[in-house]
Amino acid sequence: MEFMDYDKTLEILKENIIPWNRIEKVAITNALNRYIATDIIAKENYPKFKTSAMDGYAIKFDENNKKFKILGSNPAGKFEISSLKENECIKTFTGSLMPENSDTLVPVENVKVDDGFIEILKPVKKGFAIRKIGESYKKGEVLIKKGTKLSYSEIALLAELGEFHISVFIKPKVCVLSSGSEIKDLGEMIENDAQIRSSNHIAIASMLKLMGCEPIILPLVKDEENEVKNEILNSLNFCDILITTGGVSMGDFDFVKEVLSKNCQILINGAAIKPGRHIKIAKAGDKYIFALPGFPFSAMVMCILYVRILIESFFNAPKNHYINAVLDEEYIKKSPFLEFSACNLNNDENGVLKVNLKGKKDGSSAIVNNLNNEAALLVIPKELNGYKKGDVVKVLKML
């Protein structure tokens, strides 16, 4: 079987992505980690007027004058005194509007108050502690771009803008189906030594949540062709994306690939990569099917390499997850394919980003714990035989 180059498979996948225009309104209090579906643009300058950045006395700056008459005060939320003259001051509080003609705030700790006057004991520069008009943003400025994943700071900004219900992309419903007669689900008893507990469906569902999807974990299916076929076709009735694990290799009981080839449009039939070269990607109408390998490490890596591409495209949020770092040890390539090997990323004492494979076990693609501790993936091009210590290498960040 001839496997297609990874870059070519990505090109095919991207060419077949239908724009995701499904949008809903949610309250900003429920918008954490959602992807915003419209640009948020400032309707006015903020602050709209000059405001005080701390507690003190508003003055018109005069480096030769150290004594000012107190006219009164402007508490935050009120504007009782709107202007002042030379040699006058107004007590002003954090967040209060600055009176007309004032241009400097002298902190309370810098003055002595005596009989209705202040004496400046510690001078400040002109313009000190003044929030200028438009300091935070100016009218017409794009503050949050479409496709931004909303974190606490963006939600705080939306609140400041007075937004409440905002438009976000609807979470795609993604069914997760793991197959294999040897696997047992959570809570099921292991009946003999040939059986194992399934982790794929739990891992993939967790990854999908981090990507912003709504995962639906389906019951495990055994390696029986009709059972596999029925579960795949039924799930396509109520999901947007189907992810299967297992049943895509060359074994006598690998029925997932048979079902897909007979009932769907196959877009990608294998890729020249390690792990996961037997991956299948298909479409059924506007539904996407990712048939991932059965080994957990392979399945999780394939989810990063392919599923994340689709999801980020849906949310108008494509990102470059590759970074460069210095390899801290020798690496010998294990296959003739493009390889993705679990690795660690750390800054050394000089702040240089380093890559190493400490604690990463050398073996099959079934080692789940190789991706523990915020692991990343060392990328080894197919034309190389490996790397030497000190080489600058490309690393793919996970979730």
Side-chain angles (χ1 to χ4, degrees):
M1 180 177 176
E2 186 174 347
F3 295 100
M4 190 181 297
D5 284 345
Y6 175 62
D7 287 344
K8 181 62 178 177
T9 63
L10 286 187
E11 182 182 324
I12 292 172
L13 174 61
K14 292 174 182 178
E15 286 174 353
N16 283 275
I17 296 176
I18 301 170
W20 182 264
N21 297 318
R22 304 179 196 179
I23 296 170
E24 64 178 336
K25 288 275 193 178
V26 299
I28 63 170
T29 49
N30 293 320
L32 186 65
N33 291 332
R34 298 297 298 272
Y35 287 84
I36 198 159
T38 58
D39 287 341
I40 298 296
I41 300 172
K43 297 181 177 65
E44 58 186 11
N45 295 329
Y46 188 78
K48 195 173 181 179
F49 304 97
K50 289 186 296 182
T51 60
S52 170
M54 57 196 309
D55 296 338
Y57 292 87
I59 65 169
K60 183 176 181 180
F61 184 81
D62 182 351
E63 64 180 4
N64 298 314
N65 185 22
K66 299 292 185 291
K67 195 170 184 178
F68 295 82
K69 181 181 179 181
I70 302 172
L71 296 183
S73 65
N74 274 338
K78 297 182 179 180
F79 198 42
E80 296 178 352
I81 306 174
S82 61
S83 66
L84 52 74
K85 300 175 184 176
E86 292 182 3
N87 304 323
E88 295 177 339
C89 69
I90 297 172
K91 191 170 187 181
T92 306
F93 301 87
T94 305
S96 296
L97 296 184
M98 293 293 290
E100 189 179 343
N101 298 326
S102 67
D103 57 17
T104 304
L105 188 103
V106 184
V108 292
E109 58 267 29
N110 289 30
V111 306
K112 181 177 73 172
V113 180
D114 184 26
D115 196 23
F117 286 82
I118 65 165
E119 180 184 354
I120 299 176
L121 304 177
K122 184 178 180 182
V124 295
K125 293 181 179 180
K126 184 178 180 179
F128 183 79
I130 304 296
R131 291 197 66 208
K132 297 178 181 178
I133 295 171
E135 177 192 70
S136 293
Y137 40 82
K138 292 180 170 57
K139 182 178 180 180
E141 185 178 343
V142 178
L143 303 178
I144 304 176
K145 291 184 179 180
K146 176 182 178 180
T148 298
K149 188 177 185 179
L150 298 174
S151 188
Y152 57 89
S153 57
E154 287 84 10
I155 290 174
L157 176 58
L158 290 167
E160 184 175 86
L161 292 165
E163 302 284 351
F164 183 60
H165 283 102
I166 58 167
S167 296
V168 297
F169 288 107
I170 291 176
K171 296 180 180 182
K173 288 183 169 61
V174 187
C175 284
V176 182
L177 175 65
S178 289
S179 66
S181 296
E182 78 282 12
I183 56 176
K184 288 289 189 176
D185 209 340
L186 301 180
E188 289 187 325
M189 295 291 294
I190 298 293
E191 297 164 347
N192 60 65
D193 292 340
Q195 296 176 339
I196 59 173
R197 293 184 178 89
S198 174
S199 62
N200 280 340
H201 57 326
I202 304 303
I204 299 301
S206 298
M207 295 175 81
L208 291 168
K209 283 184 180 179
L210 292 174
M211 292 181 194
C213 300
E214 182 183 331
I216 301 168
I217 300 177
L218 301 177
L220 304 181
V221 295
K222 298 188 181 304
D223 291 323
E224 297 175 4
E225 186 168 7
N226 284 337
E227 186 175 342
V228 171
K229 176 182 176 180
N230 291 338
E231 199 62 49
I232 287 176
L233 298 182
N234 288 339
S235 66
L236 291 174
N237 291 323
F238 58 89
C239 71
D240 304 301
I241 303 167
L242 169 64
I243 298 178
T244 68
T245 68
V248 294
S249 191
M250 307 298 289
D252 293 345
F253 300 99
D254 290 329
F255 295 119
V256 171
K257 62 179 182 179
E258 302 295 335
V259 173
L260 295 183
S261 64
K262 293 176 182 177
N263 297 277
C264 305
Q265 174 194 359
I266 302 293
L267 303 178
I268 296 165
N269 185 24
I273 54 180
K274 178 180 173 61
R277 66 182 181 272
H278 290 292
I279 185 172
K280 309 286 186 289
I281 302 177
K283 280 186 73 177
D286 61 352
K287 310 294 179 74
Y288 299 83
I289 303 99
F290 294 84
L292 311 184
F295 277 157
F297 178 83
S298 294
M300 288 187 277
V301 171
M302 292 301 98
C303 193
I304 290 296
L305 294 184
Y306 289 103
V307 179
R308 181 164 66 178
I309 298 293
L310 176 66
I311 300 304
E312 289 182 348
S313 177
F314 277 0
F315 293 150
N316 199 55
K319 294 181 177 66
N320 177 20
H321 298 283
Y322 291 94
I323 57 173
N324 290 329
V326 178
L327 188 61
D328 220 10
E329 60 187 84
E330 183 184 35
Y331 183 88
I332 299 174
K333 199 153 178 280
K334 302 175 178 64
S335 76
F337 305 118
L338 168 65
E339 287 184 6
F340 296 88
S341 184
C343 65
N344 308 300
L345 275 175
N346 297 289
N347 287 307
D348 67 10
E349 63 275 8
N350 298 314
V352 177
L353 189 60
K354 293 287 188 74
V355 184
N356 66 67
L357 284 79
K358 293 176 182 175
K360 304 306 177 188
K361 298 180 179 179
D362 192 9
S364 72
S365 298
I367 305 174
V368 174
N369 41 305
N370 267 352
L371 289 175
N372 287 2
N373 301 315
E374 299 181 346
L377 296 172
L378 173 63
V379 182
I380 310 95
K382 65 179 181 180
E383 62 270 16
L384 296 184
N385 293 320
Y387 288 119
K388 296 178 181 177
K389 181 178 180 179
D391 283 349
V392 176
V393 296
K394 184 187 288 188
V395 176
L396 177 60
K397 295 170 71 177
M398 298 286 283
L399 294 171

